[in-house]
Amino acid sequence: LNLSGALAGLGMVGGGKQMNGSSSKEEEDNGDEEAMKEGSTPSMANVKVLDVGCGIGGPMRNICKFTGADITGLTLNQYQVDRGNELIRADAHFANHRDAEKHLPEVRCRSVQGDFMKQPFDDASFDAAYAIEATCHAPDRVGCYSEIRRVLKPGAIFACYEWCLTDGYDPSDPEHVEIKKRIEEGDGLPDIASTHHCLGALKRAGFEILEERDCVKDE
């Protein structure tokens, strides 16, 4: 019963190059070692990425390890900030080799406290951004996406993974309503928006939609 799914989307600010690709599971496994090698290259160390609603930063740390990018995670909860940074400091992998590039920060990723509806960053601060089941908690999608767009550089990519209602949802069907309610309660969501609402909000915020799909269909 396909009532709700996770919407994966790529949005681009203004003009720029689209970054995408695909690989088989075997290719991904064989590429892990090379990805880790690339993770230490100076070029990626200067790429600034924002994790919108990072929690304690599990995905942030993994993405940092496998890309080598400099990632800042934003979360409203100070405990999550403290715990996430504690885990980063405990892993030597996240320490920058500042002998080679002295301008680099002490660590390659970090969490900061803040509201993604009013972010504590200057305009055009980041080269890319992503959100994983985070902006679905926003009280205003257009406002949230607009704030993300503000802190991105022109041509930057925003990748978003959301809980969304598909066209298969029937609000007059009690079973559908109950399933929706359980997902909202389980994930602490105010309401599950439709894919059309989220895509429309991204466009109104100034993003160009490069790709979108229902991830449930990937299985």
Side-chain angles (χ1 to χ4, degrees):
L1 188 61
N2 187 15
L3 309 179
S4 64
L7 171 70
L10 285 177
M12 181 173 66
V13 181
K17 296 180 179 179
Q18 178 177 352
M19 300 181 292
N20 58 28
S22 61
S23 61
S24 67
K25 181 63 170 63
E26 181 178 357
E27 289 170 336
E28 290 172 357
D29 291 341
N30 291 338
D32 282 352
E33 184 176 349
E34 290 304 315
M36 290 296 287
K37 290 179 181 177
E38 182 178 348
S40 62
T41 59
S43 59
M44 286 303 294
N46 291 292
V47 175
K48 308 296 184 183
V49 180
L50 175 64
D51 182 329
V52 183
C54 64
I56 63 169
M60 174 178 69
R61 293 190 298 277
N62 283 326
I63 292 171
C64 180
K65 281 184 177 180
F66 282 95
T67 66
D70 181 279
I71 306 181
T72 298
L74 180 68
T75 180
L76 192 61
N77 188 302
Q78 187 61 49
Y79 169 79
Q80 292 178 340
V81 171
D82 295 340
R83 179 57 177 157
N85 286 332
E86 180 183 18
L87 292 169
I88 290 167
R89 290 191 299 270
D91 190 337
H93 182 89
F94 297 113
N96 269 317
H97 300 290
R98 302 175 73 185
D99 292 340
E101 295 192 62
K102 298 185 184 299
H103 68 281
L104 293 176
E106 182 179 352
V107 291
R108 295 162 53 199
C109 61
R110 81 286 308 158
S111 295
V112 300
Q113 194 277 333
D115 184 352
F116 59 40
M117 299 297 295
K118 190 175 181 180
Q119 298 184 23
F121 307 117
D122 293 335
D123 295 357
S125 294
F126 295 96
D127 301 295
Y130 63 87
I132 302 174
E133 293 186 7
T135 55
C136 46
H137 295 274
D140 172 20
R141 288 298 208 295
V142 176
C144 179
Y145 297 151
S146 295
E147 186 66 354
I148 293 168
R149 183 181 183 276
R150 178 186 68 78
V151 302
L152 286 173
K153 297 176 183 178
I157 298 289
F158 170 47
C160 188
Y161 180 86
E162 292 268 22
W163 275 106
C164 293
L165 291 175
T166 70
D167 291 337
Y169 177 71
D170 180 359
S172 66
D173 187 319
E175 183 183 7
H176 290 201
V177 173
E178 178 62 22
I179 292 172
K180 176 177 179 287
K181 179 174 178 289
R182 289 182 181 180
I183 293 173
E184 289 168 347
E185 290 177 347
D187 288 273
L189 301 176
D191 190 24
I192 301 179
S194 70
T195 56
H196 303 292
H197 177 81
C198 291
L199 292 171
L202 282 165
K203 292 176 182 177
R204 289 194 294 277
F207 284 100
E208 174 188 353
I209 307 300
L210 300 179
E211 179 185 346
E212 57 90 8
R213 73 177 190 273
D214 180 356
C215 294
V216 171
K217 296 179 180 179
D218 291 350
E219 298 178 354

